[in-house]
Every structure is written in structure tokens, then in C-alpha cells.
Amino acid sequence: MMIKPYVRQGEGEEAVSPLQWMDGDMSSPDGDASDSSHHYRAGGVQQDRELGSEDAHEEDEEDDEEGQEDENECKRRGPKKKRVTKARQERFRVRRVKANARERSRMHGLNDALESLRTIMPCHSKTQKLSKIETLRLARNYICALSEALEGGLSTESRAFMETLCKGLSQPTSNLVAGCLQLGPGSGAVMRPEDRHRVRAAAAPLGGVVSYSSPGLPSPPYGTFDSAHLLHLRAMKGGVYENHSPNEYNAGGVGTPPYDGPPTPPLSISSNLVPKQEPSPHYPPPHHYSPSPVEQGLYQTQTGYDVHLEGPYDSYHPQHMPPRQITSVYRD
DNA sequence: TAGGCCATCTGGTCCT
DNA sequence: AGGACCAGATGGCCTA
């Protein structure tokens, strides 16, 4: 079964309401409409429920009795049930179809807005699309991190900046962020240039101190980096959480965030790295001998970032080798 | 194969 | 009455 392609409203096929199926011979729609037959099934169940109270009950008697009074019904107590005429059923069907189209359009608009949000994320990637929830979380973290950069002089190249960005994110997303920000001094791919410009411009009139020449990140223990743990320590010491509103983190006097998402697992830089098959333009292959990309320490993240790792590598026994350290990150 | 993510349909509620 | 918004339900796709 093929899933119905993402069809914009007005771009193609007309949505078919479950009612159209129900109105028919109860056979699932064929042709294009069968692509989402599960929806008809799902809708059909709900449609039974919907019509069950009055419409479906009276469906049998509606046609010939339209306009006539049922004596038995007159004697019934309670509000008089509306008769289900074909016209009424048709009105309902049309209303439902229109409502479905509106809802689709609304969700498409929501998705468009989400997509535009994705594009301004600090680690926007064409190859690894952030999920909706991760996009929202990262956006929230990004705003917090930039606010801290403006207010407190937090370096955008500092570990704290990355910790703030990674707060509450899933491991793949944390790896994505790490792949973009995991740099030492002089690496040059920490922050999007336009964002640097924005921060600088915003900080200038405020007298904000925005440092881009921080000592840089200490070489992380390659493979594991428990940002959640560090964040927690910072919070206990009055770290990054101080900038947040009291009711956000201190509700109930606990001092811990009400929701940090799932516990951030240890950040594994390596888990998101795959051997880079093609030589990076930044690393033209030597003419004589060309060691494998892995041997060269070249990896490509799923986000399109090229990572260079420093240290020896034994392709036959990689598990016995000491962890190599990320020395530079390039973007394709 | 389980779980995450997603698109879609649907009925309820609120508002104009 | 009709539209916007929301949450629940459902099933397909993808990946670890």
C-alpha cells in the first residue's frame, strides 16, 4: 500500500471523505483514493459512531417518510430528533469534506512554519531533518542560548552554549548540534556567520560582551559527553538556569526544570559519524598514496558536516584504539 | 519487530 | 451556521 503523497490543497486530487465511502457500497475506494484506505477504515468506524446516535439509526426510514410525522415519535419524550434527510446527509458530507480540507491546509501551514523555523536553526541540515518536537526544543534552546550570550557574555563557542542548545534534545539531535558546534578555537564553524553578525549587532548597542575567542572547548572525552549531567551541575550551582523565569524552573521551590524532555543520554559524538567516502574538498587526496578517509580521520556526519579526528586509527581493530579527538569540522 | 514520527480524518469546543 | 483550533484515533513509513 502506498501512502498518499503530500498533496497541497488545490494542487491535485480532491480529498475523499469517509462519508463518500460510507454512502457507497461500503467497498473501499479504488484508484488513487485507495492509497489512504486506512483512513477510510478509521473514519468509517468513527462515522458509525457519529451516525449511530441518530443519523444511522434513522437512515433506513428517512427516505420515504420525509415530511411526514411519525405518530410514535410524537409521543416520545425528550427533544424531538431531527429527521435525517438525504439533503441533510449531503450537507453534513459537504461540511465534513470542507472541514477536512481546511484542517489539511491548516496543518500544511503549520508544517510550513515549522520548516521555516528549521532553516534558521544553527545546525540546519538538508540531510538530517529535525523532527517537529526536536525543532521546537532546539529553537527554544537556541533562543535561551543566544539570550545568555547577549546578557551574560556567554561565548557562543563555549561548552555552556552547546549545553544549552542540547538541553532536553534527543541524542541524534544532540549529536547534530555537537557536530556543528564541537570546535576548538579557530575552527570557524561554530556559529552560522549570519548569526554571529546578528549577535554582534545586537550586542553592540547593549554593551553586551560576546566573545568569539574563548579558550574553546577542552577536548571532550571522545565518545561520551554527558551534557545533561553538566547542565544539572550548573543548575545546582546557579548556572544557566538562573536566566530563566522563576516560575519556569523554580515552581514548587524545587529548582529543577519542570520538563527537560527525556533524560539526555550521554552525548556520543562518534555515533553520528559515518566514514566519509569521498574526499573532502578541504582535504585533497595526496597524489601518491591515499589512505582511506577513515584512516585520515575523516568522517562525515549525517548532517553534512565533515569532521576531522586526530589520532591513530587501526581499521582492523578500531575498538582497541584510543578515542580520537575532533580537531575540526567542515560543512559541505 | 518495536518504537518514533508523520499525515489524515474526525468530533468537540469556542468564537464570530 | 461556519470557521479555527484542538486532541484522539488510525495506519503507513522508517530505523535501530
Side-chain angles (χ1 to χ4, degrees):
Chain A
M1 175 187 298
M2 292 173 57
I3 196 167
K4 188 192 289 186
Y6 203 78
V7 180
R8 295 279 174 181
Q9 195 179 7
E11 283 185 355
E13 61 194 281
E14 171 97 14
V16 181
S17 162
L19 280 174
Q20 291 176 286
W21 175 42
M22 296 293 291
D23 289 344
D25 58 358
M26 300 298 288
S27 61
S28 67
D30 53 2
D32 293 340
S34 66
D35 289 343
S36 51
S37 59
H38 64 280
H39 292 145
Y40 300 109
R41 283 198 301 274
V45 172
Q46 297 195 2
Q47 186 57 34
D48 284 338
R49 202 188 315 149
E50 179 187 350
L51 293 177
S53 59
E54 56 172 71
D55 296 7
H57 248 315
E58 302 179 0
E59 201 167 7
D60 295 336
E61 49 186 308
E62 62 169 5
D63 293 337
D64 7 318
E65 294 182 0
E66 185 176 351
Q68 299 177 6
E69 278 296 324
D70 186 350
E71 292 182 3
N72 293 335
E73 192 165 328
C74 283
K75 297 173 184 174
R76 254 186 242 155
R77 287 186 176 183
K80 183 181 178 182
K81 290 182 179 177
K82 288 182 181 176
R83 220 165 253 301
V84 181
T85 65
K86 278 206 167 154
R88 191 158 165 256
Q89 200 173 7
E90 175 64 15
R91 278 200 305 275
F92 178 85
R93 188 188 67 81
V94 170
R95 201 167 68 228
R96 198 59 260 174
V97 169
K98 286 169 69 178
N100 290 345
R102 280 195 310 272
E103 180 65 10
R104 273 198 306 273
S105 176
R106 195 181 69 87
M107 295 309 296
H108 290 170
L110 196 60
N111 289 337
D112 288 345
L114 212 49
E115 185 56 39
S116 68
L117 185 59
R118 282 192 188 100
T119 62
I120 63 169
M121 285 296 100
C123 47
H124 174 55
S125 168
K126 300 175 211 167
T127 52
Q128 184 179 344
K129 187 179 177 185
L130 290 173
S131 70
K132 292 180 176 181
I133 185 68
E134 291 292 86
T135 300
L136 293 177
R137 285 177 181 153
L138 181 57
R140 186 254 188 207
N141 290 353
Y142 194 33
I143 292 171
C144 287
L146 290 177
S147 297
E148 290 166 8
L150 284 173
E151 294 172 5
L154 176 66
S155 167
T156 58
E157 294 181 0
S158 67
R159 170 178 290 211
F161 188 84
M162 190 180 74
E163 289 167 1
T164 305
L165 280 181
C166 292
K167 184 166 160 287
L169 300 181
S170 68
Q171 182 166 343
T173 308
S174 296
N175 290 343
L176 176 65
V177 174
C180 302
L181 305 186
Q182 186 75 248
L183 294 175
S187 50
V190 173
M191 194 177 188
R192 301 181 349 150
E194 59 267 34
D195 291 338
R196 287 182 184 224
H197 188 72
R198 284 183 206 145
V199 171
R200 280 202 182 100
L206 299 174
V209 179
V210 182
S211 169
Y212 295 102
S213 56
S214 68
L217 298 174
S219 297
Y222 176 64
T224 58
F225 176 68
D226 194 341
S227 64
H229 175 64
L230 291 175
L231 273 174
H232 195 65
L233 290 179
R234 289 175 58 88
M236 293 173 64
K237 294 175 183 175
V240 293
Y241 295 152
E242 281 184 345
N243 287 336
H244 300 293
S245 59
N247 61 347
E248 186 180 5
Y249 288 138
N250 298 329
V254 180
T256 54
Y259 174 69
D260 265 354
T264 305
L267 191 62
S268 173
I269 306 297
S270 60
S271 66
N272 201 30
L273 302 180
V274 296
K276 182 170 173 56
Q277 299 302 321
E278 297 177 3
S280 164
H282 308 285
Y283 282 86
H287 295 293
H288 50 288
Y289 167 70
S290 60
S292 72
V294 177
E295 289 173 310
Q296 295 179 66
L298 284 177
Y299 282 81
Q300 185 174 48
T301 68
Q302 296 174 12
T303 68
Y305 282 84
D306 298 339
V307 178
H308 184 259
L309 303 175
E310 195 174 67
Y313 180 79
D314 183 350
S315 59
Y316 291 99
H317 307 287
Q319 68 275 20
H320 296 150
M321 300 302 294
R324 299 192 288 178
Q325 294 182 347
I326 296 176
T327 57
S328 53
V329 176
Y330 302 89
R331 188 163 195 179
D332 55 3

PDB file of all heavy atoms in Angstrom, chain A residues 21 66 175 212 220 249 280 294 318:
ATOM      1  N   TRP A  21     -17.329   7.061   1.103  1.00  0.00           N
ATOM      2  CA  TRP A  21     -17.211   5.624   1.100  1.00  0.00           C
ATOM      3  C   TRP A  21     -18.427   4.995   1.762  1.00  0.00           C
ATOM      4  O   TRP A  21     -19.013   4.034   1.299  1.00  0.00           O
ATOM      5  CB  TRP A  21     -15.922   5.228   1.818  1.00  0.00           C
ATOM      6  CG  TRP A  21     -15.762   3.771   1.965  1.00  0.00           C
ATOM      7  CD1 TRP A  21     -16.021   2.805   1.030  1.00  0.00           C
ATOM      8  CD2 TRP A  21     -15.303   3.092   3.125  1.00  0.00           C
ATOM      9  NE1 TRP A  21     -15.729   1.577   1.525  1.00  0.00           N
ATOM     10  CE2 TRP A  21     -15.303   1.717   2.816  1.00  0.00           C
ATOM     11  CE3 TRP A  21     -14.886   3.508   4.396  1.00  0.00           C
ATOM     12  CZ2 TRP A  21     -14.900   0.758   3.733  1.00  0.00           C
ATOM     13  CZ3 TRP A  21     -14.485   2.549   5.299  1.00  0.00           C
ATOM     14  CH2 TRP A  21     -14.498   1.193   4.963  1.00  0.00           C
ATOM     15  N   GLU A  66     -39.901  11.270   4.678  1.00  0.00           N
ATOM     16  CA  GLU A  66     -39.527  12.677   4.751  1.00  0.00           C
ATOM     17  C   GLU A  66     -40.767  13.549   4.627  1.00  0.00           C
ATOM     18  O   GLU A  66     -41.571  13.396   3.730  1.00  0.00           O
ATOM     19  CB  GLU A  66     -38.553  13.014   3.628  1.00  0.00           C
ATOM     20  CG  GLU A  66     -38.026  14.418   3.724  1.00  0.00           C
ATOM     21  CD  GLU A  66     -37.001  14.660   2.640  1.00  0.00           C
ATOM     22  OE1 GLU A  66     -36.635  13.687   1.984  1.00  0.00           O
ATOM     23  OE2 GLU A  66     -36.611  15.813   2.448  1.00  0.00           O
ATOM     24  N   ASN A 175      23.768  15.121  18.849  1.00  0.00           N
ATOM     25  CA  ASN A 175      24.932  14.860  18.013  1.00  0.00           C
ATOM     26  C   ASN A 175      24.994  15.837  16.853  1.00  0.00           C
ATOM     27  O   ASN A 175      26.061  16.279  16.447  1.00  0.00           O
ATOM     28  CB  ASN A 175      24.886  13.436  17.478  1.00  0.00           C
ATOM     29  CG  ASN A 175      25.124  12.426  18.577  1.00  0.00           C
ATOM     30  OD1 ASN A 175      25.612  12.762  19.650  1.00  0.00           O
ATOM     31  ND2 ASN A 175      24.771  11.186  18.315  1.00  0.00           N
ATOM     32  N   TYR A 212      33.987  35.635  20.855  1.00  0.00           N
ATOM     33  CA  TYR A 212      34.168  34.561  19.881  1.00  0.00           C
ATOM     34  C   TYR A 212      35.573  34.002  19.950  1.00  0.00           C
ATOM     35  O   TYR A 212      35.978  33.237  19.129  1.00  0.00           O
ATOM     36  CB  TYR A 212      33.898  35.084  18.471  1.00  0.00           C
ATOM     37  CG  TYR A 212      32.479  35.498  18.308  1.00  0.00           C
ATOM     38  CD1 TYR A 212      32.140  36.833  18.342  1.00  0.00           C
ATOM     39  CD2 TYR A 212      31.464  34.552  18.175  1.00  0.00           C
ATOM     40  CE1 TYR A 212      30.834  37.230  18.202  1.00  0.00           C
ATOM     41  CE2 TYR A 212      30.157  34.949  18.037  1.00  0.00           C
ATOM     42  CZ  TYR A 212      29.852  36.276  18.045  1.00  0.00           C
ATOM     43  OH  TYR A 212      28.560  36.676  17.912  1.00  0.00           O
ATOM     44  N   PRO A 220      36.881  17.082  24.279  1.00  0.00           N
ATOM     45  CA  PRO A 220      35.929  16.262  25.007  1.00  0.00           C
ATOM     46  C   PRO A 220      36.380  14.820  25.034  1.00  0.00           C
ATOM     47  O   PRO A 220      37.105  14.379  24.141  1.00  0.00           O
ATOM     48  CB  PRO A 220      34.651  16.403  24.178  1.00  0.00           C
ATOM     49  CG  PRO A 220      35.129  16.673  22.801  1.00  0.00           C
ATOM     50  CD  PRO A 220      36.414  17.422  22.951  1.00  0.00           C
ATOM     51  N   TYR A 249      11.436  27.363  36.185  1.00  0.00           N
ATOM     52  CA  TYR A 249      12.304  26.328  36.728  1.00  0.00           C
ATOM     53  C   TYR A 249      12.156  26.136  38.230  1.00  0.00           C
ATOM     54  O   TYR A 249      12.545  25.134  38.773  1.00  0.00           O
ATOM     55  CB  TYR A 249      13.766  26.652  36.422  1.00  0.00           C
ATOM     56  CG  TYR A 249      14.118  26.458  34.999  1.00  0.00           C
ATOM     57  CD1 TYR A 249      14.918  27.375  34.348  1.00  0.00           C
ATOM     58  CD2 TYR A 249      13.637  25.351  34.295  1.00  0.00           C
ATOM     59  CE1 TYR A 249      15.251  27.178  33.019  1.00  0.00           C
ATOM     60  CE2 TYR A 249      13.974  25.156  32.976  1.00  0.00           C
ATOM     61  CZ  TYR A 249      14.774  26.067  32.344  1.00  0.00           C
ATOM     62  OH  TYR A 249      15.114  25.884  31.049  1.00  0.00           O
ATOM     63  N   SER A 280      37.120  15.091   1.102  1.00  0.00           N
ATOM     64  CA  SER A 280      36.618  16.431   1.292  1.00  0.00           C
ATOM     65  C   SER A 280      37.402  17.408   0.448  1.00  0.00           C
ATOM     66  O   SER A 280      38.594  17.251   0.233  1.00  0.00           O
ATOM     67  CB  SER A 280      36.739  16.809   2.779  1.00  0.00           C
ATOM     68  OG  SER A 280      36.602  18.190   2.934  1.00  0.00           O
ATOM     69  N   VAL A 294      38.712   7.012   6.566  1.00  0.00           N
ATOM     70  CA  VAL A 294      38.705   6.692   7.987  1.00  0.00           C
ATOM     71  C   VAL A 294      40.093   6.789   8.557  1.00  0.00           C
ATOM     72  O   VAL A 294      40.320   7.316   9.654  1.00  0.00           O
ATOM     73  CB  VAL A 294      38.125   5.284   8.209  1.00  0.00           C
ATOM     74  CG1 VAL A 294      38.173   4.914   9.672  1.00  0.00           C
ATOM     75  CG2 VAL A 294      36.699   5.221   7.691  1.00  0.00           C
ATOM     76  N   PRO A 318      39.505  -1.188  15.347  1.00  0.00           N
ATOM     77  CA  PRO A 318      39.160   0.170  15.798  1.00  0.00           C
ATOM     78  C   PRO A 318      38.742   0.212  17.257  1.00  0.00           C
ATOM     79  O   PRO A 318      38.913   1.217  17.930  1.00  0.00           O
ATOM     80  CB  PRO A 318      37.997   0.548  14.871  1.00  0.00           C
ATOM     81  CG  PRO A 318      37.438  -0.745  14.408  1.00  0.00           C
ATOM     82  CD  PRO A 318      38.593  -1.704  14.359  1.00  0.00           C
TER      83      PRO A 318
END
